[in-house]
Amino acid sequence: MTSEWSPSSWQSRPAAQQPPWPDEAGLERAIKHIGSLPPLVFAGEARALTAQLAQVAEGQAFLLQAGDCAESFDAFSADAIRDKLKVILQMAVVLTYSTGVPVLKVGRIAGQFAKPRSSPTETIEGVELPSFRGHMVNDIVPTEAARVPDPERLVQAYHQSAATLNLLRAFTKGGFADLSRVHQWNQEFVASSPEGRRYDRMADHIGRALRFMAACGIDTVSQPSLHEVDFFTSHEALVLGYEQALTREDSITGRWYDCSAHMLWIGERSRQIDGAHVEFLRGVDNPVGCKVGPGATADEVLALCEALNPDRVPGRFTLITRMGAGQIATRLPPLLAAVRDAGHPVVWACDPMHGNTFTSDTGRKTRDFDAVLAEIAGFFAAHWDEGTWPGGVHIELTGEDVTECLGGGDALGHADLDDRYETMCDPRLNGRQSIDLAFQVAELLDRH
Ligand code: TRP
Ligand code: MN
């Protein structure tokens, strides 16, 4: 692992989950083209995120990482981006206000376009087709032609990421995220629910607190932290040619940064210690993460810590556990103890989504809100037991009023899933379920 690293050194390792691009010349052209385009994020921003994640590693802050399972080329609009941001801001403000702990906001957004698949093919209505691998690679339409990996999609993913990031920057720095607008993030279909009313009551309290501070003589107008947020982007670093093309040497430090996003993670299916994904991530100076499932051993996790954060930089490495509600109580504690005893300064985040996916009675891929919450509760319990800090949550959600996950405030049942089941990939929490979750996570954090 200690051999020379370069942005392309991953190519000499076995790379899991890479699309079978039939048009090799086209792939080379697309990657070369992206390599000539401006970076999407700036190295200094990635360093700032590492510094903020170091606060999480030290138990002084909480990470909220959230967004779509897979972004879509079709559902790409200002409204969709705004509504996703609204929900994330709402969750963040609930967590911040209820716990008094700073909350880092990291979106699964502006680059989350590639999906790992358990099988290279899938059978749809009796026809075997190449699997859908995300809009960065092919189209979801179930025809042979649509499923052919098209390298031009890499370029389109870049441009959509740039436009998304541009709007996010405008919203988060240009007034939309101002704390005086806390009521306006509450969308109509949320506001009419018990969670939404609870949110509105909290927003009233925030407004009162701001007026109180102003009345006390504190200059709330010129205090930028009340009017804007730092919002970071992240996605799974899956298609390594794309990531390589956006990897640039920082002129200030001489280090390499993957400038496709502030933070990158690798998945449970691509975390082989001698594999290409670990090789790629070890050489970029962004904060990086790795998903770990119930099969992960303490030795594997320690090897990942060593490979990806040999200098033990706090905030550099996040372990995102996705155990499933039924397994977290037995699988997580040994990992927490091993990493703690080895003295590795990791951020621990809970992905309560991917270990709790199943097929509904009506044949829909779904998750139950109660299982999601149970995994988070198990995550907190394990951390309190081991004396470690439950650093954050990693959630798949949307701002839309979809019906993809069961349960929650309006007790969605199996038959309701058909109403507005819109996801291109995994089932996401809707706006109401997300706000509900934020309140419950805040209570778990506060209870200790
Ligand atoms: N800037 C602070 C923060 O990010 C306070 C803040 C402003 C805020 N707007 C927000 C917090 C929206 C959450 C959501 O914490
Ligand atoms: Mn997913």
Side-chain angles (χ1 to χ4, degrees):
M1 293 302 297
T2 46
S3 53
E4 272 303 283
W5 184 91
S6 78
S8 62
S9 57
W10 63 270
Q11 293 181 12
S12 62
R13 306 288 176 104
Q17 297 285 341
Q18 299 309 289
W21 304 100
D23 178 7
E24 267 178 49
L27 177 65
E28 217 165 286
R29 238 182 356 259
I31 285 177
K32 203 161 159 227
H33 181 191
I34 296 167
S36 72
L37 296 172
L40 294 173
V41 306
F42 161 58
E45 297 175 308
R47 281 194 290 276
L49 177 56
T50 302
Q52 294 191 26
L53 284 165
Q55 296 289 108
V56 180
E58 280 149 25
Q60 308 292 326
F62 193 74
L63 167 66
L64 173 64
Q65 191 169 15
D68 257 313
C69 177
E71 288 174 274
S72 162
F73 284 179
D74 306 325
F76 176 43
S77 69
D79 288 359
I81 297 165
R82 183 200 59 206
D83 291 347
K84 223 176 294 171
L85 180 64
K86 275 184 182 170
V87 181
I88 296 173
L89 291 177
Q90 283 188 285
M91 292 179 78
V93 86
V94 165
L95 286 161
T96 313
Y97 186 75
S98 314
T99 66
V101 171
V103 175
L104 268 68
K105 303 145 202 70
V106 180
R108 281 176 69 106
I109 198 165
Q112 178 54 22
F113 289 108
K115 300 310 301 170
R117 301 309 306 249
S118 47
S119 159
T121 61
E122 60 191 335
T123 301
I124 299 172
E125 290 174 6
V127 187
E128 195 184 24
L129 292 167
S131 291
F132 172 56
R133 291 174 181 271
H135 271 167
M136 181 187 271
V137 178
N138 57 6
D139 200 1
I140 195 165
V141 175
T143 65
E144 191 71 42
R147 294 296 174 91
V148 176
D150 174 3
E152 266 311 298
R153 288 179 168 271
L154 296 167
V155 180
Q156 197 177 339
Y158 168 90
H159 287 297
Q160 184 164 325
S161 299
T164 303
L165 190 50
N166 180 55
L167 197 59
L168 288 170
R169 290 187 193 280
F171 280 146
T172 54
K173 301 294 179 191
F176 184 83
D178 194 303
L179 275 181
S180 67
R181 298 181 57 114
V182 63
H183 275 292
Q184 284 143 52
W185 306 327
N186 210 10
Q187 297 189 74
E188 233 162 77
F189 76 94
V190 180
S192 59
S193 69
E195 303 80 68
R197 285 193 290 275
R198 186 175 181 189
Y199 176 85
D200 271 330
R201 284 195 298 279
M202 190 206 66
D204 287 340
H205 293 157
I206 291 173
R208 207 171 299 157
L210 288 171
R211 288 194 298 279
F212 172 71
M213 286 194 286
C216 290
I218 294 169
D219 179 6
T220 53
V221 177
S222 60
Q223 189 56 249
S225 67
L226 297 174
H227 308 298
E228 50 187 53
V229 297
D230 288 338
F231 189 87
F232 297 97
T233 61
S234 69
H235 62 259
E236 178 171 357
L238 187 74
V239 178
L240 292 176
Y242 177 82
E243 304 301 337
Q244 178 190 330
L246 281 161
T247 297
R248 311 291 164 84
E249 194 172 0
D250 174 33
S251 57
I252 298 171
T253 60
R255 290 171 174 269
W256 293 96
Y257 287 84
D258 181 349
C259 296
S260 70
H262 299 109
M263 179 189 182
L264 289 313
W265 76 85
I266 54 174
E268 172 75 353
R269 298 189 184 96
S270 53
R271 63 172 173 77
Q272 300 80 8
I273 198 77
D274 294 321
H277 292 82
V278 168
E279 172 61 18
F280 176 75
L281 274 202
R282 83 177 171 96
V284 297
D285 223 34
N286 309 58
V288 297
C290 183
K291 295 276 189 97
V292 287
T297 65
D299 285 348
E300 279 171 17
V301 170
L302 290 176
L304 286 164
C305 292
E306 280 300 318
L308 293 172
N309 193 14
D311 298 333
R312 306 189 173 209
V313 177
R316 152 75 176 168
F317 189 40
T318 298
L319 280 163
I320 309 162
T321 63
R322 27 102 65 235
M323 300 296 176
Q327 300 210 68
I328 185 139
T330 53
R331 302 296 176 175
L332 186 57
L335 305 184
L336 300 181
V339 173
R340 178 198 62 207
D341 294 347
H344 267 286
V346 305
V347 170
W348 288 103
C350 175
D351 166 359
M353 314 301 293
H354 289 90
N356 296 306
T357 315
F358 67 99
T359 304
S360 77
D361 297 347
T362 49
R364 295 284 194 186
K365 197 177 183 189
T366 190
R367 294 159 174 157
D368 194 320
F369 183 83
D370 289 341
V372 169
L373 201 60
E375 176 154 357
I376 297 177
F379 176 79
F380 278 90
H383 280 280
W384 303 143
D385 278 354
E386 298 299 330
T388 46
W389 174 245
V393 289
H394 182 117
I395 308 289
E396 287 184 350
L397 56 71
T398 167
E400 318 299 308
D401 185 14
V402 300
T403 56
E404 298 169 5
C405 291
L406 299 167
D410 44 8
L412 289 178
H414 288 232
D416 301 319
L417 294 181
D418 284 336
D419 290 351
R420 286 175 308 282
Y421 193 95
E422 293 168 11
T423 185
M424 238 180 16
C425 195
D426 290 339
R428 305 159 296 176
L429 298 180
N430 64 29
R432 286 184 58 178
Q433 291 167 328
S434 302
I435 304 309
D436 196 359
L437 189 83
F439 277 114
Q440 306 220 33
V441 170
E443 282 168 15
L444 285 167
L445 251 178
D446 218 27
R447 206 170 291 153
H448 198 63

